[in-house]
């Protein structure tokens, strides 16, 4: 039973991340997700200090706001200061993250929050941390429930507005010209990424969530020619990583989240190798003439 | 030589656009009649793309206004179409030719609605018009530059707009296709649609366009091709004035000149 809970939790992280990650890499913003995953740290600590439980809805809302703020700062330094995007990302998230680190070290004594739990997470604890209602009945593992809600939110945003996300990712200038503001969708996507990061950090940690956001979509990108295939396939790769990763970790008795991310990386390696071999094969038939 | 028209499709008044306080378009005043095929010519960096972008509301205006069919852009956006320069997007995007052409229907369909069969038919028809119907399933990265350009044209055509702004739609397109597309644009113009095209090949200006806009940071000419397309004005557009104007732009950036001087 616990196995299943852990695998399902990992798969939920993989699906949430797989969907959003596709848009991130197509917008050439893979590293923005890295920035956000670090920048939410002060938000997490503040929510924690306020005495609210970690699973409170405010935590997700706060994460969304921090994500928007991070995105705004990155854009602001880039636009106003003419700073390169990557430099702008570097300045923004290290600063926010550093504040978070100070806060964590300062409050480490009186709360069960520490660097390790935020940065690396521990998916093995998911089954033993249930949500208990006021009347005392057990609803189920907290991470599992929170991630399910996040997935529903993501689907509720992406499905109805798929074509807007598609167009603003491909050609923001044309989108603006026909009256679809690229900015709104940009910030909406970034809030979803922040929410996902926070919802995942307990199980896989703030660092490995980036692996789930980037690696399966990048793998799918190599072998797909349509966006919806890419999204579907990156979810499949993510789930595969969650399942295989769990059993490998079990077998070597190591970090589960680490094993999952490693499998995702190996997966990328295999697919990349396969596309290279396919490319190198000699042409066997003459080209078909076309006008 | 600047000719103003009554009841224009496009009216630009006293337009100045700057990047980082350095003006790249300066005091542009022009109007284009309905049903015209207008060419915008000028050397590299003359501000042709900037002019189109400012009409489409993609760059902030320092001064002046733009009116389309005597309205603000926002109220007539559905009647306006735009073909950006091909280099403005990443063609390795996982999308098929049909996916991209269908984008032209998004503003008609509206938020949260799905595309319907009529949209698909409109997209297929536009692909036929630019001779790309055989490629509808192909990924856009597997097209040649000229074919990609034709996909952008088809996307604009599916909008079934009343005025089209096209930034170098013939860049990399072969001569036969260019002729076919111009034929298409002429048909559209004869139905009362207005087409405004950034163009580099001065040889074909006289045969393609009935209205010409010559630009080099400021407006050199805007008028019917037979009147405005003269040797003298061409020299003024492409000639030695280029360096001088750039110098003036630099001076203004340093704040040594008032923003606008009477010519
Ligand atoms: N984003 C920008 N930031 C700063 N300056 C810019 C920007 N875009 C264009 N410029 C400058 O504005 C001027 C006009 O550029 P624009 O792209 O409008 O020229 P163009 O006439 O379209 O040239 P081309 O024939 O090469 O397409 C150029 O001097 C260019 O350097
Ligand atoms: Mg240009």
């Amino acid at each position: 039973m616990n196995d299943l809970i852990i695998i399902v939790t990992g798969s939920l992280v993989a699906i949430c991340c797989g969907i959003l990650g596709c848009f991130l890499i197509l917008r050439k913003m893979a590293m923005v997700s890295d920035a956000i995953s670090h920048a939410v740290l002060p938000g997490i600590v503040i929510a924690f200090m306020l005495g609210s439980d970690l699973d409170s809805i405010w935590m997700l809302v706060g994460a969304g706001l921090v994500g928007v703020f991070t995105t705004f700062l990155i854009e602001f330094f880039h636009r106003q200061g003419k700073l390169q995007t990557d430099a702008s990302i570097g300045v923004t998230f290290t600063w926010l993250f550093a504040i978070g680190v100070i806060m964590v070290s300062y409050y480490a004594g009186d709360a069960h929050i520490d660097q390790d739990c935020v940065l690396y997470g521990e998916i093995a604890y998911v089954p033993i941390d249930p949500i208990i209602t006021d009347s005392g009945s057990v609803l189920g593992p907290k991470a599992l429930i929170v991630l399910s809600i996040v997935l529903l939110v993501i689907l509720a945003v992406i499905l109805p507005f798929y074509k807007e996300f598609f167009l603003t990712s491909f050609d923001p200038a044309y989108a603006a010209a026909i009256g679809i503001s690229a900015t709104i969708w940009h910030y909406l996507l970034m809030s979803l990424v922040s929410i996902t990061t926070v919802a995942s950090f307990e199980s896989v940690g703030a660092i490995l969530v980036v692996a789930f956001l980037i690696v399966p979509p990048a793998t799918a990108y190599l072998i797909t020619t349509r966006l919806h295939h890419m999204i579907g396939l990156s979810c499949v790769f993510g789930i595969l990583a969650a399942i295989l990763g769990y059993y490998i970790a079990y077998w070597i008795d190591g970090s589960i989240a680490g094993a999952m991310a490693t499998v995702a990386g190996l997966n990328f390696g295999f697919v990349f190798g396969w596309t290279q071999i396919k490319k190198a094969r000699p042409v066997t038939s003459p080209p078909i003439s076309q006008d | 030589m600047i000719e103003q028209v009554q009841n224009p499709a496009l009216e630009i008044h006293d337009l100045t656009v700057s990047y980082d306080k350095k003006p790249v378009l300066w005091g542009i005043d022009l109007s284009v009649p309905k049903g015209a095929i207008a060419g915008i010519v000028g050397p590299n960096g003359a501000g042709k793309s900037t002019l189109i972008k400012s009409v489409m509301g993609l760059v902030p205006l320092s001064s002046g206004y733009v009116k389309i069919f005597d309205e603000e852009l926002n109220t007539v956006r559905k009647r306006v179409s735009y073909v950006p320069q091909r280099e403005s997007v990443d063609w390795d995007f996982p999308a098929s030719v049909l996916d991209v052409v269908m984008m032209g229907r998004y503003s008609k369909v509206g938020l949260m609605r799905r595309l319907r069969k009529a949209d698909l038919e409109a997209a297929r028809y536009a692909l036929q018009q630019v001779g790309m119907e055989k490629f509808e399933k192909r990924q856009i990265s597997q097209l040649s530059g000229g074919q990609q350009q034709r996909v952008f044209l088809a996307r604009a055509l599916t909008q079934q707009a009343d005025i089209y702004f096209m930034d170098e739609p013939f860049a990399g397109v072969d001569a036969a296709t260019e002729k076919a597309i111009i034929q298409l644009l002429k048909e559209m113009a004869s139905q009362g649609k207005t087409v405004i095209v950034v163009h580099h090949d001065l040889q074909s200006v006289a045969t393609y366009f009935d209205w010409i806009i010559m630009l080099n940071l400021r407006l050199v000419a805007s008028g019917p091709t037979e009147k405005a397309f003269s040797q003298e004005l061409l020299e003024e557009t492409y000639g030695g004035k280029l360096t001088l104007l750039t110098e003036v732009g630099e001076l203004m950036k340093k704040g040594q000149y008032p923003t606008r001087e009477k010519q």
Side-chain angles (χ1 to χ4, degrees):
Chain A
M1 184 60 195
N2 284 357
D3 302 8
L4 192 67
I5 292 174
I6 291 171
I7 289 175
V8 171
T9 307
S11 303
L12 280 172
V13 172
I15 295 170
C16 292
C17 292
I19 297 172
L20 299 177
C22 287
F23 291 103
L24 285 176
I25 68 169
L26 290 175
R27 287 163 180 251
K28 311 201 169 24
M29 295 195 315
M31 290 334 279
V32 177
S33 68
D34 192 20
I36 287 179
S37 74
H38 286 76
V40 290
L41 185 60
I44 292 170
V45 182
I46 290 172
F48 207 77
M49 274 158 41
L50 290 177
S52 57
D53 214 346
L54 273 180
D55 58 317
S56 79
I57 195 79
W58 293 111
M59 186 111 169
L60 295 181
V61 174
L65 291 178
V66 174
V68 168
F69 179 63
T70 310
T71 316
F72 170 79
L73 279 186
I74 292 172
E75 296 270 303
F76 182 77
F77 294 139
H78 175 56
R79 291 246 172 94
Q80 298 295 317
K82 297 269 162 199
L83 202 61
Q84 290 83 350
T85 319
D86 51 354
S88 171
I89 291 172
V91 170
T92 308
F93 90 84
T94 48
W95 176 71
L96 284 165
F97 183 65
I99 293 177
V101 169
I102 293 176
M103 290 163 87
V104 170
S105 59
Y106 192 77
Y107 291 99
D110 42 86
H112 52 284
I113 181 165
D114 58 50
Q115 261 117 323
D116 281 2
C117 112
V118 172
L119 293 187
Y120 305 118
E122 191 41 271
I123 202 166
Y125 295 159
V126 167
I128 56 171
D129 185 15
I131 289 182
I132 299 168
T133 59
D134 293 340
S135 59
S137 56
V138 178
L139 271 180
K142 193 174 70 188
L144 198 67
I145 293 171
V146 172
L147 281 166
S148 310
I149 295 171
V150 170
L151 178 58
L152 287 180
V153 171
I154 292 174
L155 292 177
V157 175
I158 303 279
L159 285 180
F161 299 112
Y162 181 77
K163 64 185 199 318
E164 282 76 19
F165 280 106
F166 184 44
L167 174 57
T168 53
S169 301
F170 173 63
D171 192 348
Y174 179 76
I178 64 171
I180 297 173
S181 159
T183 321
I184 294 173
W185 304 105
H186 179 70
Y187 281 102
L188 196 53
L189 183 67
M190 289 307 151
S191 349
L192 289 178
V193 170
S194 317
I195 291 172
T196 306
T197 308
V198 170
S200 317
F201 93 98
E202 277 180 278
S203 41
V204 299
I207 294 180
L208 287 185
V209 70
V210 181
F212 281 94
L213 275 167
I214 307 304
V215 182
T219 315
Y221 176 80
L222 293 176
I223 50 173
T224 47
T225 56
R226 306 282 298 278
L227 178 60
H228 55 279
H229 296 163
M230 178 176 162
I231 294 174
L233 206 59
S234 69
C235 292
V236 170
F237 283 136
I239 294 170
L240 199 71
I243 297 173
L244 286 179
Y246 177 75
Y247 286 107
I248 289 174
Y250 187 77
W251 176 50
I252 60 169
D253 196 21
S255 154
I256 301 173
M260 289 177 175
T262 307
V263 172
L266 289 175
N267 212 334
F268 177 84
F270 282 128
V271 172
F272 185 79
W274 184 66
T275 54
Q276 294 303 305
I277 292 169
K278 234 178 66 170
K279 238 195 246 165
R281 255 186 228 152
V283 179
T284 48
S285 58
I288 306 146
S289 88
Q290 50 189 223
D291 46 304
Chain B
M1 201 247 113
I2 294 159
E3 193 169 306
Q4 302 288 352
V5 295
Q6 292 296 311
N7 198 8
L10 170 70
E11 181 193 352
I12 298 178
H13 180 71
D14 189 27
L15 177 85
T16 298
V17 179
S18 325
Y19 290 115
D20 304 326
K21 291 199 180 142
K22 185 185 168 193
V24 294
L25 281 179
W26 196 15
I28 309 284
D29 245 312
L30 63 83
S31 49
V32 176
K34 286 178 185 151
I37 303 186
I40 304 180
V41 297
N44 289 132
K48 304 180 295 296
S49 299
T50 306
L51 182 68
I52 290 198
K53 282 183 192 157
S54 52
V55 171
M56 297 309 302
L58 301 176
V59 293
L61 314 184
S62 305
S63 78
Y65 64 79
V66 173
K67 282 196 167 174
I68 296 174
F69 303 122
D70 206 28
E71 304 265 7
E72 294 287 320
L73 172 66
N74 273 329
T75 50
V76 287
R77 222 183 260 277
K78 288 205 165 124
R79 298 170 64 193
V80 183
S81 182
Y82 171 51
V83 181
Q85 257 179 301
R86 181 163 55 85
E87 300 77 34
S88 63
V89 304
D90 173 14
W91 290 91
D92 282 328
F93 201 90
S96 70
V97 166
L98 200 57
D99 286 337
V100 174
V101 177
M102 292 284 254
M103 288 173 183
R105 306 295 295 181
Y106 285 11
S107 61
K108 273 210 166 52
V109 174
L111 276 184
M112 294 186 72
R113 301 258 177 73
R114 291 177 158 275
L115 293 158
R116 273 176 294 179
K117 201 154 175 248
D119 300 309
L120 183 66
E121 276 160 14
R124 291 219 163 106
Y125 179 63
L127 276 173
Q128 258 174 37
Q129 286 180 303
V130 298
M132 288 286 290
E133 66 275 19
K134 281 189 215 145
F135 295 89
E136 79 170 45
K137 289 214 169 65
R138 182 117 16 136
Q139 191 194 356
I140 52 173
S141 64
Q142 298 162 6
L143 299 174
S144 72
Q147 290 169 334
Q148 290 170 348
Q149 192 67 67
R150 288 196 260 168
V151 170
F152 261 10
L153 260 171
R155 178 176 72 175
L157 292 177
T158 54
Q159 272 183 265
Q160 293 164 353
D162 293 320
I163 185 164
Y164 293 80
F165 295 90
M166 307 185 170
D167 201 344
E168 301 192 30
F170 301 125
V173 172
D174 63 57
T177 311
E178 184 172 324
K179 290 258 154 55
I181 290 171
I182 269 294
Q183 202 49 48
L184 186 71
L185 299 186
K186 283 187 171 162
E187 266 165 45
M188 283 160 50
S190 69
Q191 293 158 16
K193 311 214 165 192
T194 312
V195 187
I196 294 169
V197 180
V198 174
H199 196 61
H200 266 302
D201 176 25
L202 294 175
Q203 308 289 328
S204 49
V205 163
T207 47
Y208 285 3
F209 305 115
D210 45 28
W211 194 272
I212 188 82
I213 295 166
M214 293 189 196
L215 200 64
N216 193 346
L217 305 188
R218 64 183 185 85
L219 187 66
V220 177
S222 166
T225 310
E226 63 268 25
K227 279 201 228 162
F229 195 63
S230 69
Q231 188 62 37
E232 192 196 336
L233 289 171
L234 268 177
E235 266 166 28
E236 200 181 328
T237 312
Y238 288 86
K241 283 250 162 95
L242 176 63
T243 48
L244 182 68
L245 277 166
T246 315
E247 274 165 25
V248 173
E250 293 289 350
L251 282 176
M252 284 183 59
K253 197 182 175 190
K254 291 186 192 126
Q256 295 170 344
Y257 269 64
T259 32
R260 192 158 177 245
E261 265 189 341
K262 212 82 206 126
Q263 290 287 310

